[in-house]
Amino acid sequence: MTEAKKARKARRITILGSTGSIGVNTLDLLEFAARRGEAEFQIEALTAHRNVALLAQQAKKFRPRFVAIGDEALRDDLDAALAGTGIETGAGPSALEDAAARDADWVMAAIVGAAGLHPTLRAAKRGASIALANKECLVCAGDVLTAAIAEAGGELLPVDSEHNAIFQVFDFERPERVSRLILTASGGPFREWTRSQMAAATPAQAVAHPNWSMGAKISVDSATLMNKGLELIEAAHIFPISHEQIEIVVHPQSVIHSMVEYVDGSVLAQLGTPDMRTPIATTLAWPDRTPSPSARLDFAKIARLTFEAPDPVRFPALRLARESVAQGGVFPAMLNAANEVAVAAFLAGNLKFLDIAGVTEQVLEQAGRRNGPARLSTLDEAVAADQEGRRLAALAVAARAAA
Ligand code: NDP
């Protein structure tokens, strides 16, 4: 590698949510790139919510300048774990924002849920390159976030494998030549289950994804197919295309990560093994490429790629997401908030699997009776919709538990 190329890749990096599945994969990839001399980087900041032990371990290894724990009560534990290292620490939600505000030029947004909204927005407003895994913040406040990125002259690099795939083959110069986006879905662990089997599904069964190893929340979203619904809304924010031109097809092998159809009928796809280090590598080096340790596709071994339509009866989450994005305004934020509350209740053993979509639908019906802005253009509006969605969902969960 030439010195010029190396210098161009020297980066200051912050990882919001470094202890999660995406965060760990990002650090793994950075270590791989550094070992091969492919990239030079300084970690500016790392954040976690409660996992002090892993955060401290990562900090000792990667030597960030600043480390933040979201749970204020764990401040002393973090300080004790990093005593004598000289690494600056912070605790509480404001410390997550402080981490995002620091001068990193590439920020991995990998906090799970709407909790990532404020820190991600903070990094966006500085004009950083945002590698966005945290789809919920785009669903909850997509217009606010994309406007902040554009205004500050930054860029949004999608990490979600489907959007990363589309990003690689989408003709941004001539978007009117694109006729359709086709998001692929693995179908999740319950693809072949009956509705009555799904009614009795346990958290352990729901998080056992057939192809991908991910955090608990997104794994449950994959089992309900809400993940694909959130991705549909996410895609409508990232790409200059109407939500009506986005289709979803179940592709159980998870080899084709998504496709773009052009007006002449040509379909361009991106393929790869189900390893998040590939899309993370794309965002790290974009528009260049950097090697990744992910396994390569063995087409002869795969032999067959299959496709099927998603079942709207067993997976109502897709319809809810479509209705929300069509209605706009507060609906996507409330959909996301209700789903987050319902998934957390399911994982805690307080809600049945099929009631995740049930609670979400109930919240959206209640939202439909209220008036709200047709488009959320401020952070306050998005946060208010998120909080109202959470409040209504908590009531709906409690009512079902009491029934
Ligand atoms: P994980 O649950 O594995 O990790 C989440 C990270 O966010 C952890 O660092 C966690 O800290 C932190 N966190 C959790 N709650 C809060 C909070 N309230 N405030 C601040 N930080 C918090 O999730 P994933 O890595 O699987 O997913 C992260 C995001 O990426 C999600 O939005 C997901 O949808 C998206 N994504 C994930 C993919 C994957 O393969 N995993 C693929 C595509 C998208 P702690 O460890 O201390 O709890």
Side-chain angles (χ1 to χ4, degrees), residues 29-385:
L29 182 67
L30 289 171
E31 201 182 357
F32 173 82
R35 243 193 343 256
R36 292 173 50 103
E38 296 281 348
E40 286 178 1
F41 58 88
Q42 160 72 44
I43 304 270
E44 186 62 35
L46 297 177
T47 82
H49 183 42
R50 291 208 177 108
N51 194 344
V52 171
L54 181 56
L55 184 63
Q57 190 188 319
Q58 291 175 338
K60 285 177 185 162
K61 184 167 178 183
F62 291 93
R63 308 299 301 182
R65 295 195 167 112
F66 182 67
V67 161
I69 191 87
D71 186 340
E72 181 95 52
L74 296 171
R75 178 190 297 274
D76 292 347
D77 292 8
L78 183 64
D79 285 347
L82 291 179
T85 60
I87 298 171
E88 200 184 328
T89 61
S94 64
L96 301 179
E97 286 198 56
D98 293 344
R102 295 178 75 105
D103 192 20
D105 54 72
W106 187 88
V107 176
M108 168 56 76
I111 290 174
V112 62
L117 181 55
H118 285 91
T120 305
L121 193 60
R122 189 69 182 262
K125 284 183 172 169
R126 290 194 290 104
S129 292
I130 308 290
L132 189 78
N134 181 198
K135 65 190 83 184
E136 296 91 346
C137 77
L138 207 49
V139 172
C140 177
D143 288 332
V144 182
L145 186 62
T146 50
I149 292 172
E151 201 173 312
E155 60 184 345
L156 194 164
L157 303 165
V159 172
D160 220 349
S161 59
E162 295 76 4
H163 307 77
N164 186 273
I166 293 169
F167 188 72
Q168 293 189 48
V169 293
F170 192 96
D171 188 349
F172 285 95
E173 303 278 306
R174 285 172 289 269
E176 70 285 356
R177 299 286 184 249
V178 172
S179 51
R180 217 167 32 134
L181 302 186
I182 301 145
L183 293 178
T184 53
S186 70
F190 305 149
R191 183 172 64 88
E192 294 179 309
W193 286 34
T194 63
R195 205 173 143 78
S196 58
Q197 283 176 308
M198 289 164 75
T202 65
Q205 290 168 323
V207 300
H209 196 280
N211 304 337
W212 296 90
S213 165
M214 309 182 286
K217 194 266 177 180
I218 184 175
S219 297
V220 176
D221 286 346
S222 297
T224 58
L225 288 204
M226 180 57 89
N227 184 45
K228 219 44 58 178
L230 298 178
E231 287 177 4
L232 188 153
I233 302 172
E234 186 184 6
H237 280 295
I238 298 175
F239 304 104
I241 196 158
S242 157
H243 62 87
E244 286 158 343
Q245 291 167 279
I246 306 173
E247 281 183 24
I248 290 164
V249 67
V250 175
H251 165 47
Q253 296 81 17
S254 297
V255 168
I256 297 178
H257 294 315
S258 276
M259 303 177 252
V260 176
E261 182 195 77
Y262 286 87
V263 287
D264 60 2
S266 298
V267 176
L268 303 192
Q270 183 265 356
L271 287 68
T273 51
D275 185 329
M276 287 308 293
R277 290 173 301 182
T278 296
I280 295 169
T282 312
T283 64
L284 190 63
W286 190 261
D288 198 355
R289 300 269 175 186
T290 189
S292 144
S294 51
R296 303 296 127 137
L297 286 173
D298 181 340
F299 287 98
K301 206 165 158 193
I302 295 163
R304 263 161 35 98
L305 298 180
T306 60
F307 305 92
E308 61 201 44
D311 177 353
V313 177
R314 288 181 303 132
F315 301 103
L318 282 179
R319 171 178 54 79
L320 298 179
R322 274 206 188 276
E323 288 171 2
S324 298
V325 71
Q327 285 169 293
V330 297
F331 284 89
M334 290 185 80
L335 167 96
N336 180 64
N339 179 61
E340 279 193 34
V341 170
V343 170
F346 169 71
L347 286 170
N350 299 328
L351 191 71
K352 294 203 164 62
F353 181 76
L354 292 177
D355 283 342
I356 299 173
V359 162
T360 308
E361 181 151 28
Q362 189 179 331
V363 169
L364 291 174
E365 276 167 11
Q366 289 172 286
R369 293 187 219 120
R370 289 151 206 256
N371 288 324
R375 193 181 163 91
L376 300 186
S377 48
T378 70
L379 185 58
D380 287 349
E381 287 170 348
V383 169

